[in-house]
Amino acid sequence: MTGSRIAPTLLLMGLAICAYADGSTETSSETELIALDDAWIDAEVEGDRDALERILHEDFLATFASGRTIDRATFIDLIVDNPPAPFSVTHETIRLHGDTALVIDVSEDGKTKYTWIATKRDGQWRVISETFSRIEST
């Protein structure tokens, strides 16, 4: 390896070490998805139609634990007409597949799992699907 190649290699190695020095392995996309999740929860709790329309893709579908599936307009109407009480979730899984992400959240009470898929277009993540599942106690 020549001297001109060693310096850039060491620089890249140093940057990689610094990026993980705090123990965080979260990528910028994961950070963006968590922020999207937080904004989505806020929009639901506030019954904010405009925010929900920005967050949810035009082809969005929601499937409830009962098996009922509804489209974006119906979902937004349901939320705006009956906003949920404030809640929070634990991010159980975030998997990135290029410009598509799979996120699995669990409600703070541990009774509901939210599995959602987002797609990134023009630098913006939008949610395209959400499925609600009941978590059975064992």
Side-chain angles (χ1 to χ4, degrees), residues 56-62 70-73 126-129:
L56 304 178
H57 190 278
E58 292 80 10
D59 294 328
F60 174 83
L61 294 173
I70 60 175
D71 65 10
R72 176 181 181 243
R126 298 198 58 208
V127 180
I128 197 159
S129 171

Side-chain angles (χ1 to χ4, degrees), residues 33 36 55 57 95-103 116-121 124-129:
L33 290 161
L36 176 66
I55 292 166
H57 190 278
R95 295 283 189 266
L96 296 169
H97 303 275
D99 288 339
T100 303
L102 167 68
V103 180
W116 54 277
I117 299 170
T119 184
K120 191 173 193 176
R121 299 285 184 269
Q124 184 74 22
W125 286 104
R126 298 198 58 208
V127 180
I128 197 159
S129 171

Side-chain angles (χ1 to χ4, degrees), residues 7-90:
T9 302
L10 290 175
L11 175 63
L12 289 174
M13 289 174 56
L15 290 173
I17 291 168
C18 289
Y20 293 100
D22 66 355
S24 173
T25 59
E26 192 174 283
T27 68
S28 64
S29 289
E30 290 170 330
T31 301
E32 291 171 6
L33 290 161
I34 290 169
L36 176 66
D37 204 358
D38 293 341
W40 186 7
I41 290 170
D42 290 344
E44 286 191 7
V45 169
E46 294 169 13
D48 186 340
R49 180 179 299 278
D50 292 336
L52 290 168
E53 288 175 350
R54 283 190 306 275
I55 292 166
L56 304 178
H57 190 278
E58 292 80 10
D59 294 328
F60 174 83
L61 294 173
T63 302
F64 297 101
S66 67
R68 178 178 174 223
T69 299
I70 60 175
D71 65 10
R72 176 181 181 243
T74 305
F75 181 84
I76 291 173
D77 287 345
L78 178 69
I79 296 299
V80 169
D81 292 344
N82 302 291
F87 67 101
S88 63
V89 297
T90 300

